[in-house]
Structure formats: structure tokens, C-alpha cells
């Protein structure tokens, strides 16, 4: 990573237990030679002190909208515009709600509303609060407004619960800061205008994407699943929509928000997924990213299976329909491009080539899902692109970048088919 010298960060620290990680973030930003100015919300002061933040940033900490000295020293407009990037960490449910609805009752929310610079939010809150429809709705609104997000991560939380809601680690936030700064610090165009700009490559095309794992239940409370997070499939659906396509995403159970501008249908099992895919066809491009379970359990119990020391249950598995093969082998209404993914932990290329032919695909995106690769659930991906004529190795990239490149490649191929 090359250091970005003298960029100015305005760090808004919200009131949550994760505020302690903001101190480490400041340290890391300073190590990378960023100039950091910090703002504490009233609640943040319950978790970290002004003195510790001031010592780490080496500059004055702001916390009061009405303090005269703030206005004479540096007005809130100036404070919000002086930075190259505003980082909100932790971004509490309260701060996210205020920003999504344009409330400006305190210094932090006023700065966020008054800025003309990009905002990066690192949410942190209890899992129920994060998954609450109100929070998800607010995050969606903010994404539409061009706010970038890093995290939250899944894991053990300070409150003892488990799930998505943990603030990303300072190193992750730093990486996101650098990415946003490298991209563009302008506030982007409103979503509808941005889509118009990007439109063209897939305008007027219909794209169907499957994503996430499937769950195959064997009683009302238990199921067989896999580690797919849906991040890559959702990123592809979002990238296709950004390129102007009419996108339908059929998603297995994931902890992700529905991508913007994408019609998202939620399913649980492989058989449900196949049904929705068949209903959603025809399409110009089908991209099967889902880690579809290979089997379902022959008999699903209607009541919870009880433990019985004398008899351990034995599950009989039945092969699931292969959705990708069903689409690839359609004699009527086959999409012009059928793209599959191949998740392999050994003999990557060889196995992927077999899938390309067996499922009658136009392209297979092969990735190594061995334990050491960190692909499943991770942020980045290293893929090989296989077509009947060609094979190509792409460098490790984040899943959004893989999605953008893949969409651009498919748009080119589609134009080449003359359909
Ligand atoms: N796929 C599918 N339906 C299935 C199984 C897989 O649509 N029942 C699709 C996946 O979405 C992916 C591709 O087929 O695009 C390859 O999936 P993968 O899990 O790598 O391979 P499988 O065909 O399941 O074979 P195996 O698990 O033996 O490697």
C-alpha cells in the first residue's frame, strides 16, 4: 500500500462500545500520515475521553455545536468541508438514522449534513438493531445518497449476542478509507443520474443472478447449509444494475441488504431457487453464483427431532436439481449467455472445465474455496475465467471489482453474440 500523504479525515465518533476501536483507528490513520480531526457525540464521551482522542489526533476535538469558540475558531460548515473524507466510526443506529433523514440537532449530524465530501460509515450495533428493517431501510437510503459502508462484521458482540453488528477492525476501516479516497471524494450523482451515466453497456438487457447458500431443512429448526455469504453474487447483481440492466436476484438466506435497484427474491431451498429462476426467465444473461446445496434431506420431519441415546438419526440425502445445468441445457429460451461459478478446493481449472462442458455454459468463473483462500465470507476473490476458447487468470481483487469487470466482460460478449 502506498501512503497517501496529507489527506484530511474528519472522524466522527459515535456513542457505542466500539468507540474504543476508534482510538486504534486514529493511531493507524496517523501512522499513514493522515491529518485527523475528531468529533465526539455526547454519547461517545461516555465511552472515550476527549483527552485521549486529542492526544492521539494531536489536534483539538470538537463536541459542541453551540460552543462559541467552535464558531469563532472554525464554523461547522468549514469544519465539514475542510476534510477530504468524513469517517463515522462507530456509526451507531442513531447517527445512521439522523443522517438518513437529514436531522441536524447536534454537531456530528450537522457536520454530516453540511458536508460536500464523501462519507464512509462503519456501523456498530447490536445484531437485532442492525437487522431491524428501519436500520436496513436507512442504510439503503444512505447508499442511494452515495455514503460508503465498511462492515459490520459478524461475530461475538460485547452484549453477548452473536451475528452481524460488530464494527470492522481498524485495519479494515483504514483499507476502506484508502479505497474511497483513491476512488473519488466527490459526492456522487444521485442514483438515478448515476445509473443513466453508467447505462449503456447493459441498458435494455435482462440479467438473472442467483446468490448465497441454500438451506435444506430436515426438521422445523434444523437445516444443512454452507459457508457462502452471498457477497460476490450480490455485488454482481448490483454491478449489472449499475450498468443499466434490469436485474432479478434470487437469493438464498444471507445477512446482506438487497442491492439497490435490483428486484430481489428470497428463497430457502435449491428447489425453491429453481422454481423462481424458471419463473423469472427469459433473460439475456444468467449468472449462477449461488452455492446451491447438492442434496436435500429425503424426509423433512414436521416436528423437532428429539435426541434418543439409543438411536442417532440417519439422514438420507437426495440430489438437488442442478439449476445452472437446467438453464444451460434449455432447448427453448436459453439465455444468450449462461455463466456459472465453480467453487473448488483442488484441481481448480480441470474441474471447472468439466463443469463448463457438462452444464453447457458460456463461461465459468472458477475460484479456490480451500480453507486457506479466505474466499468464502471474505471481501476479496481470486478468479479464473474460463470460456470454451480461452482461460484467463485475474489478480486478487475485492468482490465489487470482480463484479464490475465481469459485467463489463459479459456486456462485450453479449454485444458479440449479435443478440
Ligand atoms: N449449481 C446449481 N445447482 C446445483 C449445484 C450447482 O445451479 N444444484 C451451480 C452453482 O451456482 C455454480 C455451479 O453450478 O454456478 C457450480 O457449482 P459447484 O458447487 O462448484 O459445483 P457442483 O456442480 O455442485 O459440483 P461439486 O459440488 O461436485 O463440485
Amino acid at each position: 500500500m502506498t501512503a497517501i500523504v496529507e489527506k484530511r479525515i474528519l472522524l466522527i465518533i459515535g456513542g457505542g462500545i466500539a468507540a474504543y476501536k476508534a482510538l486504534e483507528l486514529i493511531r493507524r490513520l496517523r501512522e499513514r500520515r493522515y491529518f485527523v480531526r475528531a468529533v465526539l457525540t455526547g454519547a461517545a464521551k461516555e465511552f472515550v475521553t476527549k483527552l485521549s482522542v486529542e492526544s492521539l489526533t494531536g489536534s483539538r476535538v470538537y463536541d459542541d455545536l453551540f460552543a462559541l469558540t467552535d464558531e469563532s475558531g472554525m464554523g461547522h460548515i468549514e469544519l465539514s468541508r475542510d476534510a477530504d473524507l468524513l469517517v463515522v466510526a462507530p456509526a451507531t443506529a442513531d447517527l445512521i438514522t439522523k443522517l438518513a433523514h437529514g436531522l441536524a440537532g447536534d454537531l456530528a449530524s450537522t457536520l454530516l449534513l453540511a458536508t460536500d465530501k464523501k462519507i464512509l460509515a462503519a456501523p456498530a450495533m447490536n445484531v437485532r438493531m442492525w437487522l431491524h428493517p428501519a436500520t436496513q431501510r436507512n442504510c439503503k437510503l444512505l447508499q442511494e445518497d452515495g455514503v460508503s459502508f465498511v462492515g459490520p462484521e459478524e461475530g461475538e458482540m460485547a452484549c453477548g449476542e452473536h451475528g452481524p453488528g460488530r464494527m470492522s477492525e481498524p485495519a479494515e476501516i483504514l483499507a476502506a478509507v484508502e479505497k474511497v479516497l483513491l476512488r473519488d471524494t466527490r459526492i456522487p450523482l444521485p442514483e438515478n443520474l448515476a445509473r443513466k451515466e453508467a447505462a449503456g453497456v447493459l441498458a435494455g438487457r435482462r440479467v438473472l443472478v442467483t446468490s448465497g447458500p441454500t438451506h435444506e431443512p430436515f426438521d422445523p429448526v434444523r437445516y444443512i447449509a454452507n459457508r457462502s455469504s452471498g457477497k460476490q453474487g450480490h455485488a454482481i447483481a448490483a454491478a449489472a444494475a449499475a450498468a443499466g440492466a434490469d436485474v432479478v436476484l434470487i437469493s438464498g438466506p444471507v445477512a446482506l441488504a438487497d442491492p439497490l435497484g435490483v428486484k430481489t427474491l428470497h428463497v430457502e431451498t435449491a428447489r425453491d431457487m429453481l422454481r423462481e429462476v424458471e419463473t423469472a426467465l427469459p433473460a439475456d444473461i444468467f449468472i449462477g453464483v449461488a452455492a446451491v446445496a447438492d442434496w436435500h434431506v429425503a424426509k423433512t420431519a414436521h416436528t423437532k427431532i428429539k435426541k434418543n441415546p439409543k438411536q442417532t438419526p440417519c439422514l438420507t440425502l437426495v440430489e438437488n436439481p442442478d439449476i445452472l445445468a437446467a438453464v444451460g441445457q434449455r432447448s427453448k429460451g436459453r439465455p444468450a449467455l449462461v455463466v456459472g461459478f465453480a467453487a473448488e478446493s483442488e484441481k481448480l481449472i480441470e474441474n471447472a472445465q468439466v463443469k463448463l462442458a457438462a452444464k453447457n455454459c458460456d463461461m465459468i468463473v472458477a475460484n479456490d474455496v480451500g480453507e486457506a483462500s479466505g474466499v468464502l465470507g471474505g471481501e476479496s476473490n481470486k478468479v479464473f475465467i474460463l470460456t470454451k476458447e480461452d482461460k484467463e487468470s485475474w489478480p486478487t481483487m475485492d468482490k465489487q471489482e470482480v463484479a464490475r469487470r465481469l459485467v463489463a466482460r459479459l456486456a462485450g460478449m453479449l454485444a458479440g453474440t449479435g443478440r
Side-chain angles (χ1 to χ4, degrees), residues 247-325:
V247 185
V248 179
L249 171 67
I250 299 169
S251 171
V254 292
L256 299 174
D258 296 348
L260 290 174
V262 170
K263 181 179 176 195
T264 306
L265 305 168
H266 299 271
V267 297
E268 190 186 358
T269 68
R271 287 164 293 164
D272 296 341
M273 190 174 268
L274 175 64
R275 196 174 326 112
E276 292 298 345
V277 164
E278 279 174 343
T279 311
L281 284 169
D284 297 289
I285 307 179
F286 173 78
I287 313 173
V289 196
V292 184
D294 289 320
W295 307 277
H296 65 269
V297 180
K299 255 195 190 153
T300 309
H302 295 296
T303 51
K304 186 183 165 202
I305 301 172
K306 299 297 284 178
K307 249 187 322 204
N308 176 355
K310 288 193 201 115
Q311 200 191 356
T312 318
C314 179
L315 301 177
T316 306
L317 300 179
V318 179
E319 198 165 314
N320 269 330
D322 193 309
I323 301 166
L324 179 63

